Amino acid sequence: MKRNELEKIYQRQGCRDYHLRDAQDLMAIHQVDFTAVKGYTELTDENKVLYCAFIVNYWNAYGLDTRMTMIPKGIYSVEDQEFNFEYIDPYDEEKMPLT
């Protein structure tokens, strides 16, 4: 597909500014079924709503030329991740690592 063809599709869909309004625009314009990607069925209902908003925003972050080549592969969610960090004051000579 050429860029001018894609622009016409956006205009017919009512997206005159070439921005997707919702996931239905993504499907109608790019034929991308974001619910068919790997991992979607494992998401909670809340995460599915977040993912829907995310993918529209993600698509809108790119220009039309890039959007023509984008293909979503999967979505994964990490519920909790515990990180342990220790703050070391760079001015505390006792705790500074030796170099």
Side-chain angles (χ1 to χ4, degrees), residues 74-88:
I75 181 70
Y76 304 96
S77 176
V78 176
E79 290 298 321
D80 279 320
Q81 185 68 29
E82 208 172 293
F83 295 102
N84 294 315
F85 293 102
E86 179 183 354
Y87 172 74
I88 298 175

Side-chain angles (χ1 to χ4, degrees), residues 3 25 27 42-43 52 57 67 75 95:
R3 182 188 172 102
D25 284 342
M27 181 61 186
E42 283 79 41
L43 295 176
C52 178
N57 286 335
R67 291 182 207 180
I75 181 70
K95 289 192 175 184

Side-chain angles (χ1 to χ4, degrees), residues 12-24:
R12 273 182 280 172
Q13 188 66 22
C15 301
R16 306 261 182 243
D17 58 356
Y18 306 115
H19 275 77
L20 302 168
R21 296 168 296 199
D22 52 32
Q24 287 73 26

